[in-house]
Amino acid sequence: MNPNTQLVLYNTISRQKEAFEPINAPFVGMYVCGPTVYGDVHLGNCRTFVSFDLINRYLLHLGYKVRYVRNITDAGHLEGDRDEGDDKFSKKARIEQLEPMEIVQRYTIGFHDIMRMFNALPPSIEPTATGHISEQIEMVREIIGKGYAYEVNGSVYFDVEKYSRQYNYTILTNRQMDDLLAGTRDLGGQDEKRGRLDFALWIKAKPEHIMRWPSPWGVGFPGWHIECSAMSSKYLGDQFDIHGGGMDLAATHHTNEIAQSQACNHTQPAKYWLHTNMLTVNGTRMSKSAGNGFLPQELFTGDHPLLKRGYSPMTVRFFMLQAHYRSTLDFSNEALDASEKGFKRLMNAYDLLGKLKTSNTSDFDIEDLRARCYTAMSDDFNSPILIAELFEAARIINTVYDGKGAIDEKNLSSLKELMSNFILDVLGLKEETCQTDDLGQLMDFIISLRLDAKNNKDYATSDKIRNALSKIGIQLKDGKEGTTWSK
RNA sequence: GGCCACAUGACCGAGCGGUGAGGUGGAGGUCUGCAAAACCUUUUACGGCGGUUCAAAUCCGCCUGUGGCCUCCA
């Protein structure tokens, strides 16, 4: 690693880039809001988790001991406007004739499968909301004890207006309280909330409600935001380094998390708040409600009206990493096509590293390139610039391979380390072609047959072999050193 | 309606006060039996109108357009 680069990251709370200084270096605590597992994760969800995978990987690469906590929301979030209606799990369960926990299990496994395909490292701890009901109840009790929440009819609400007199409720979004109030609808007569901005910490369960737990306020289930506050403080302490999630969570979910933690512990839960931007389709945010989302599986197979064809998981990951995590990224077939070719080019160069011949002199200075890679990543995890630098490395590799440039032992060795560090460890990209030994030997044999034909000037046969292989997705490349192939 | 972002070449995307980021595509060339791949050259853009500055894609103002949040969402 390069100790000379200071990592800076953009903190939503200050709306500027700040030097990253962990509370207890070399330990770093990072909490990321995970998925709600009542349905398949769509590609937009995946983008956030790939972004935080990059952040996690870079922190690890820099030598930090990261405890990465990402929750699974499997309870309690309500649908509808006024905390009415079924919870998502029991509703979905009724549709599919399954137990709520069966739904949770199914989609949790699906989520893990997808994350594995994207080559995302698993978090250190992946707590579930249903597994931490008592912690949530305890936190609600404390908030009531501190005077920032009140019970009505078996439900508990957070008193936002009281809180906002002592703390800056809108610290994350910098909104004015008056504007927030203007944006809310009138409270109906039946509403139990005292203030229109108040939100539920604990909700009384209706008789038909399946997911329910006993509490000091009766049988019910936790509100939307309390799980993250309870679980983050349990595993990372009342104050930790990084809290992350999608930008859509900042205004409501994270704002309320901060309020809960402040009210309970009188501390800001996280030092740095990181928010990833949305994936868009034709300029519009991909979301469940807009119906413009598609599933990773559909993207891989190409089985979707918006898709011309399928793209591999690593192509999609590379596509995501070519944009900065705080920018929106617009999805299109053309953009995926471009990323696919770029990704192959980069990985092809990486493969060539082992075949390079060294010289006594070197036309390239890898040290300088290496420094630029660290500079890019340390500037708020700027993976697009890192990738641009890696393409420069690819050019060097290809030039040397072509015999049009020289590299010495020392620079080649640092080039190998650089490529491996950044492509594999930091960007988390991996080879997708499974070149088994059997296939390799078979290909060697076919290539030797074709070489015989070529030597006999039997180009009809040599082209026939090449065309046939091309049809099954294997490209032959005749070079000075002989013929190579790739899938 | 309120608040907040963003507008970059054929496309995707960095940059955010002063040397053509990069990828894809297009054109030309080198290599090759021909291809492919690779390499070289080329394709020099920053929504509009003002302003600040020796200098602006980059700062400020206005306008236009798009999007996000305000209601579950990564």
Side-chain angles (χ1 to χ4, degrees), chain A residues 215-384:
Chain A
S215 79
W217 317 285
V219 174
F221 53 97
W224 328 333
H225 315 297
I226 195 73
E227 66 177 88
C228 288
S229 296
M231 296 192 293
S232 63
S233 67
K234 171 162 181 167
Y235 296 112
L236 298 172
D238 291 343
Q239 263 193 310
F240 50 95
D241 298 297
I242 296 172
H243 191 127
M247 270 183 190
D248 51 344
L249 298 181
T252 305
H253 182 59
H254 290 161
T255 290
N256 290 342
E257 269 190 65
I258 290 174
Q260 288 167 161
S261 293
Q262 285 276 26
C264 190
N265 308 317
H266 304 293
T267 57
Q268 275 287 339
K271 192 172 177 187
Y272 306 95
W273 285 83
L274 269 50
H275 290 98
T276 58
N277 216 137
M278 302 291 104
L279 183 70
T280 61
V281 181
N282 297 323
T284 306
R285 173 185 170 189
M286 181 180 283
S287 74
K288 283 166 190 155
S289 49
N292 64 346
F294 39 75
L295 307 178
Q297 210 54 252
E298 292 169 335
L299 183 58
F300 302 153
T301 60
D303 184 20
H304 190 279
L306 281 169
L307 296 166
K308 282 192 306 193
R309 62 189 182 83
Y311 300 92
S312 72
M314 283 303 109
T315 296
V316 178
R317 184 175 171 110
F318 186 73
F319 166 69
M320 290 174 173
L321 295 173
Q322 273 187 300
H324 186 84
Y325 77 89
R326 279 191 295 114
S327 299
T328 54
L329 172 61
D330 198 56
F331 173 90
S332 71
N333 286 282
E334 292 69 28
L336 264 300
D337 285 343
S339 290
E340 184 178 77
K341 290 191 179 170
F343 174 62
K344 280 187 177 168
R345 195 163 110 80
L346 190 61
M347 294 314 277
N348 188 49
Y350 180 69
D351 285 343
L352 252 30
L353 268 174
K355 298 176 184 167
L356 297 190
K357 296 191 173 71
T358 53
S359 313
N360 293 324
T361 58
S362 188
D363 299 331
F364 309 101
D365 178 19
I366 303 304
E367 199 45 47
D368 186 50
L369 179 66
R370 202 172 87 100
R372 291 203 304 272
C373 289
Y374 280 101
T375 301
M377 279 306 288
S378 289
D379 182 11
D380 198 26
F381 311 101
N382 200 321
S383 56

Side-chain angles (χ1 to χ4, degrees), chain A residues 101-258:
Chain A
M101 287 312 283
E102 218 175 335
I103 298 293
V104 164
Q105 178 77 356
R106 176 199 286 185
Y107 292 117
T108 299
I109 290 171
F111 172 62
H112 287 157
D113 286 347
I114 296 298
M115 285 299 109
R116 202 173 303 115
M117 290 178 85
F118 278 124
N119 202 30
L121 296 174
S124 327
I125 301 175
E126 193 167 45
T128 62
T130 54
H132 296 77
I133 297 295
S134 61
E135 286 85 349
Q136 296 178 69
I137 288 172
E138 188 49 39
M139 190 162 191
V140 173
R141 282 166 76 122
E142 282 188 47
I143 295 172
I144 293 173
K146 301 271 168 71
Y148 292 97
Y150 54 91
E151 187 215 331
V152 180
N153 273 335
S155 293
V156 180
Y157 298 97
F158 190 93
D159 190 339
V160 172
E161 288 176 38
K162 175 174 182 185
Y163 172 84
S164 69
R165 272 180 247 124
Q166 286 151 73
Y167 297 97
N168 180 5
Y169 177 64
T170 56
I171 189 167
L172 253 194
T173 53
N174 203 29
R175 285 182 188 172
Q176 299 302 308
M177 285 299 287
D178 291 348
D179 296 331
L180 272 187
L181 283 164
T184 58
R185 66 190 63 73
D186 287 335
L187 294 171
Q190 77 282 22
D191 204 305
E192 297 168 337
K193 295 178 190 173
R194 286 184 199 160
R196 34 171 71 170
L197 292 176
D198 294 358
F199 57 91
L201 296 175
W202 186 263
I203 301 154
K204 181 184 182 178
K206 291 177 178 173
E208 66 272 20
H209 207 97
I210 306 172
M211 289 189 117
R212 48 170 59 210
W213 293 267
S215 79
W217 317 285
V219 174
F221 53 97
W224 328 333
H225 315 297
I226 195 73
E227 66 177 88
C228 288
S229 296
M231 296 192 293
S232 63
S233 67
K234 171 162 181 167
Y235 296 112
L236 298 172
D238 291 343
Q239 263 193 310
F240 50 95
D241 298 297
I242 296 172
H243 191 127
M247 270 183 190
D248 51 344
L249 298 181
T252 305
H253 182 59
H254 290 161
T255 290
N256 290 342
E257 269 190 65
I258 290 174

